[in-house]
Amino acid sequence: MTWIGTSKYLATGCADGTVNVWDSLLGNCVHTFHGHLDAVQAISVSTNTDFIVSVSVDYTACV
């Protein structure tokens, strides 16, 4: 899990290979990114908050 800059949004990496973006005030998922075939191990957000990078146990990285 990581905050997206200083916004109210956070990103989570999931065991199903997705990365979800959540509105922390409302508690709902606002976007789901697909691309990994296995669990997400780590996620990071770029300094300008334009990109989320995720890495998975399937040996891939997604931007």
Side-chain angles (χ1 to χ4, degrees):
M1 179 184 92
T2 187
W3 287 102
I4 300 176
T6 58
S7 72
K8 65 179 182 172
Y9 299 103
L10 55 100
T12 58
C14 302
D16 65 358
T18 62
V19 172
N20 295 304
V21 177
W22 299 87
D23 181 323
S24 65
L25 299 179
L26 299 177
N28 58 333
C29 181
V30 296
H31 199 282
T32 300
F33 295 97
H34 301 273
H36 294 295
L37 301 176
D38 209 339
V40 175
Q41 280 188 311
I43 56 175
S44 185
V45 177
S46 65
T47 305
N48 65 2
T49 69
D50 287 346
F51 302 99
I52 299 172
V53 178
S54 58
V55 293
S56 170
V57 296
D58 67 4
Y59 304 104
T60 63
C62 293
V63 179

